Coordinates of all heavy atoms in Angstrom, one line a residue:
E278 N -21.0 29.6 4.0 CA -19.8 28.7 4.2 C -20.0 27.4 3.5 O -21.1 26.9 3.3 CB -19.6 28.6 5.7 CG -19.2 30.0 6.3 CD -18.9 29.9 7.8 OE1 -19.1 28.8 8.4 OE2 -18.5 30.9 8.4
V281 N -22.6 24.5 4.6 CA -24.0 24.8 4.6 C -24.6 24.0 3.4 O -24.1 23.9 2.3 CB -24.3 26.3 4.4 CG1 -25.8 26.5 4.2 CG2 -23.8 27.1 5.6
F294 N -25.9 35.8 5.8 CA -24.7 35.1 6.2 C -25.1 33.8 6.8 O -25.7 33.7 7.9 CB -23.9 36.0 7.3 CG -22.5 35.7 7.4 CD1 -21.5 36.7 7.2 CD2 -22.0 34.4 7.6 CE1 -20.2 36.5 7.3 CE2 -20.7 34.2 7.7 CZ -19.7 35.2 7.6
L295 N -24.8 32.7 6.1 CA -25.2 31.4 6.6 C -23.9 30.6 6.9 O -23.0 30.4 6.1 CB -25.9 30.6 5.5 CG -27.1 31.4 4.8 CD1 -27.8 30.6 3.8 CD2 -28.1 31.9 5.9
R296 N -23.8 30.1 8.2 CA -22.6 29.6 8.7 C -22.8 28.1 9.3 O -23.9 27.7 9.5 CB -22.1 30.4 9.9 CG -21.8 31.9 9.5 CD -21.3 32.7 10.7 NE -20.0 32.2 11.1 CZ -19.7 31.7 12.3 NH1 -20.7 31.7 13.2 NH2 -18.5 31.2 12.6
G297 N -21.6 27.5 9.5 CA -21.6 26.3 10.3 C -22.3 25.1 9.6 O -22.5 25.0 8.4
N298 N -22.9 24.3 10.4 CA -23.6 23.1 10.0 C -25.1 23.4 9.7 O -26.0 22.7 10.2 CB -23.5 21.9 10.9 CG -22.0 21.5 11.0 OD1 -21.3 21.3 10.0 ND2 -21.6 21.2 12.3
T299 N -25.3 24.5 9.0 CA -26.7 24.9 8.7 C -27.2 24.0 7.5 O -26.5 23.9 6.5 CB -26.8 26.4 8.4 OG1 -26.5 27.1 9.5 CG2 -28.1 26.8 7.8
S300 N -28.5 23.6 7.6 CA -29.1 22.9 6.5 C -30.5 23.6 6.3 O -31.2 23.9 7.2 CB -29.3 21.4 6.7 OG -30.1 21.2 7.9
I301 N -30.8 23.8 5.0 CA -32.1 24.5 4.7 C -32.8 23.6 3.6 O -32.2 23.2 2.6 CB -31.8 25.9 4.1 CG1 -31.1 26.8 5.2 CG2 -33.2 26.5 3.7 CD1 -30.7 28.1 4.7
F312 N -28.8 36.2 9.8 CA -27.5 35.6 10.2 C -27.9 34.3 10.8 O -28.6 34.3 11.9 CB -26.8 36.5 11.2 CG -25.4 36.2 11.5 CD1 -24.4 36.8 10.8 CD2 -25.1 35.2 12.4 CE1 -23.0 36.5 11.1 CE2 -23.8 34.8 12.6 CZ -22.7 35.5 12.0
I313 N -27.5 33.2 10.2 CA -27.9 31.9 10.6 C -26.7 31.0 10.9 O -25.9 30.8 10.0 CB -28.9 31.2 9.6 CG1 -30.1 32.1 9.3 CG2 -29.3 29.8 10.0 CD1 -31.0 31.7 8.2
T314 N -26.6 30.4 12.1 CA -25.4 29.6 12.4 C -25.9 28.2 12.9 O -26.7 28.1 13.8 CB -24.6 30.2 13.6 OG1 -24.2 31.5 13.1 CG2 -23.4 29.4 13.9
S315 N -25.5 27.2 12.2 CA -25.7 25.8 12.6 C -27.1 25.5 13.0 O -27.4 25.0 14.1 CB -24.7 25.4 13.8 OG -23.4 25.5 13.4
C316 N -28.0 25.8 12.1 CA -29.4 25.6 12.3 C -30.0 24.6 11.3 O -29.5 24.4 10.2 CB -30.2 26.9 12.1 SG -30.0 28.1 13.4
E317 N -31.0 23.9 11.7 CA -31.7 22.9 10.9 C -33.1 23.5 10.5 O -34.0 23.6 11.3 CB -31.9 21.6 11.6 CG -32.7 20.5 10.9 CD -33.0 19.3 11.7 OE1 -32.1 19.0 12.6 OE2 -34.0 18.7 11.5
I318 N -33.1 23.9 9.2 CA -34.3 24.6 8.7 C -35.0 23.7 7.7 O -34.3 23.3 6.7 CB -34.0 26.0 8.1 CG1 -33.4 26.9 9.2 CG2 -35.2 26.6 7.5 CD1 -32.8 28.2 8.8
H319 N -36.2 23.3 7.9 CA -36.9 22.4 7.0 C -37.4 23.1 5.8 O -37.2 24.3 5.5 CB -38.0 21.6 7.8 CG -37.4 20.7 8.8 ND1 -38.1 19.6 9.3 CD2 -36.2 20.7 9.5 CE1 -37.4 19.0 10.2 NE2 -36.2 19.7 10.4
I324 N -37.8 32.7 6.7 CA -37.0 33.5 7.7 C -37.0 34.9 7.2 O -36.3 35.2 6.2 CB -35.6 32.9 7.8 CG1 -35.6 31.4 8.0 CG2 -34.9 33.6 8.9 CD1 -36.3 31.0 9.3
S328 N -33.4 38.6 10.8 CA -33.5 37.6 11.9 C -32.1 37.0 12.2 O -31.3 36.8 11.3 CB -34.5 36.5 11.6 OG -35.8 37.1 11.5
H329 N -31.9 36.6 13.5 CA -30.6 36.0 13.9 C -31.0 34.6 14.6 O -31.7 34.5 15.6 CB -30.0 36.9 15.0 CG -28.6 36.5 15.3 ND1 -28.3 35.4 16.1 CD2 -27.4 37.0 15.0 CE1 -27.0 35.2 16.3 NE2 -26.4 36.2 15.6
L330 N -30.5 33.5 14.0 CA -30.8 32.2 14.4 C -29.5 31.4 14.7 O -28.5 31.5 13.9 CB -31.5 31.4 13.4 CG -33.0 31.7 13.1 CD1 -33.2 33.1 12.4 CD2 -33.7 30.7 12.2
E331 N -29.4 30.7 15.9 CA -28.2 30.0 16.2 C -28.6 28.6 16.9 O -29.4 28.6 17.8 CB -27.4 30.8 17.2 CG -26.1 30.1 17.7 CD -25.4 30.9 18.7 OE1 -25.8 32.0 19.1 OE2 -24.3 30.5 19.1
K332 N -28.1 27.5 16.3 CA -28.2 26.2 16.8 C -29.7 25.9 17.2 O -30.0 25.4 18.3 CB -27.3 26.0 18.0 CG -25.8 26.1 17.7 CD -25.0 25.9 18.9 CE -23.5 26.1 18.5 NZ -22.6 26.0 19.7
S333 N -30.6 26.2 16.2 CA -32.0 26.0 16.4 C -32.6 25.1 15.3 O -31.9 24.9 14.3 CB -32.7 27.3 16.5 OG -32.3 28.1 17.6
V334 N -33.8 24.6 15.6 CA -34.5 23.8 14.6 C -35.8 24.5 14.2 O -36.6 24.9 15.1 CB -34.8 22.4 15.1 CG1 -35.6 21.6 14.1 CG2 -33.5 21.7 15.4
V335 N -36.0 24.7 12.9 CA -37.3 25.3 12.4 C -37.9 24.4 11.4 O -37.3 24.1 10.4 CB -37.0 26.7 11.7 CG1 -38.3 27.4 11.3 CG2 -36.2 27.6 12.7
K336 N -39.1 23.9 11.7 CA -39.7 22.8 10.9 C -40.6 23.4 9.8 O -40.8 24.7 9.7 CB -40.4 21.8 11.8 CG -39.4 21.1 12.7 CD -40.1 19.9 13.4 CE -39.1 19.2 14.3 NZ -39.7 18.0 15.0
A345 N -36.4 38.6 14.4 CA -36.5 37.7 15.5 C -35.2 37.1 15.9 O -34.3 37.1 15.0 CB -37.5 36.6 15.1
R346 N -35.1 36.6 17.1 CA -33.8 36.0 17.5 C -34.1 34.6 18.1 O -34.9 34.5 19.1 CB -33.1 36.8 18.6 CG -31.7 36.2 18.9 CD -31.0 37.0 20.0 NE -29.7 36.4 20.3 CZ -28.9 36.7 21.3 NH1 -29.4 37.6 22.2 NH2 -27.8 36.1 21.5
L347 N -33.5 33.6 17.5 CA -33.6 32.2 18.0 C -32.3 31.8 18.6 O -31.3 31.7 17.9 CB -34.1 31.2 16.9 CG -35.6 31.0 16.7 CD1 -36.3 32.4 16.5 CD2 -35.8 30.1 15.6
R348 N -32.2 31.7 19.9 CA -31.0 31.3 20.6 C -30.9 29.7 20.7 O -31.9 29.1 20.4 CB -30.9 31.9 21.9 CG -30.7 33.5 21.8 CD -31.0 34.2 23.2 NE -30.1 33.7 24.2 CZ -30.3 34.0 25.5 NH1 -31.2 34.8 25.9 NH2 -29.4 33.6 26.4
P349 N -29.7 29.2 21.1 CA -29.5 27.8 21.0 C -30.6 26.9 21.7 O -31.2 27.4 22.7 CB -28.2 27.6 21.7 CG -27.4 28.8 21.3 CD -28.5 29.9 21.4
E350 N -30.8 25.7 21.2 CA -31.8 24.7 21.7 C -33.2 25.2 21.6 O -34.1 24.7 22.3 CB -31.4 24.4 23.1 CG -30.1 23.7 23.3 CD -29.8 23.3 24.7 OE1 -30.6 22.4 25.2 OE2 -28.8 23.8 25.3
T351 N -33.5 26.0 20.6 CA -34.9 26.4 20.3 C -35.4 25.5 19.2 O -34.7 25.2 18.2 CB -35.0 27.9 19.9 OG1 -34.7 28.7 21.0 CG2 -36.4 28.2 19.4
V352 N -36.6 25.0 19.3 CA -37.3 24.2 18.3 C -38.6 24.7 18.0 O -39.5 24.9 18.9 CB -37.4 22.7 18.8 CG1 -38.1 21.9 17.7 CG2 -36.0 22.1 19.1
L353 N -38.9 25.0 16.7 CA -40.2 25.5 16.3 C -40.7 24.3 15.4 O -40.2 24.0 14.4 CB -40.1 26.7 15.4 CG -39.3 27.9 16.1 CD1 -39.4 29.1 15.2 CD2 -39.8 28.2 17.5
L365 N -36.3 33.8 21.6 CA -36.5 32.5 22.2 C -35.2 31.9 22.6 O -34.2 32.0 21.8 CB -37.2 31.6 21.2 CG -38.5 32.1 20.5 CD1 -39.1 31.1 19.6 CD2 -39.6 32.4 21.6
K366 N -35.2 31.2 23.7 CA -34.0 30.5 24.2 C -34.4 29.2 24.8 O -35.2 29.2 25.7 CB -33.2 31.4 25.2 CG -31.8 30.9 25.5 CD -31.8 29.9 26.6 CE -32.2 30.5 27.9 NZ -32.0 29.5 29.1
K367 N -33.8 28.1 24.3 CA -34.1 26.8 24.8 C -35.6 26.6 25.0 O -36.1 26.2 26.1 CB -33.4 26.6 26.2 CG -33.0 25.2 26.6 CD -32.1 25.2 27.8 CE -31.7 23.8 28.1 NZ -30.8 23.8 29.3
T368 N -36.3 26.8 23.9 CA -37.8 26.8 24.0 C -38.3 25.9 22.8 O -37.9 26.0 21.7 CB -38.4 28.2 23.8 OG1 -38.0 29.0 25.0 CG2 -39.9 28.2 23.6
L369 N -39.3 25.1 23.2 CA -40.1 24.3 22.2 C -41.4 24.9 22.0 O -42.2 25.1 22.9 CB -40.2 22.9 22.7 CG -41.2 22.0 21.9 CD1 -40.7 21.8 20.5 CD2 -41.4 20.7 22.6

Side-chain angles (χ1 to χ4, degrees):
E278 293 182 357
V281 174
F294 202 125
L295 311 183
R296 304 181 62 240
N298 295 318
T299 293
S300 63
I301 300 173
F312 195 98
I313 301 175
T314 300
S315 296
C316 289
E317 179 186 326
I318 297 172
H319 292 203
I324 308 295
S328 296
H329 188 289
L330 287 70
E331 181 182 2
K332 297 179 181 178
S333 297
V334 177
V335 183
K336 296 189 177 180
R346 184 182 181 194
L347 271 56
R348 291 166 59 189
E350 298 184 59
T351 291
V352 178
L353 308 184
L365 307 180
K366 190 273 294 184
K367 208 173 184 178
T368 291
L369 167 63

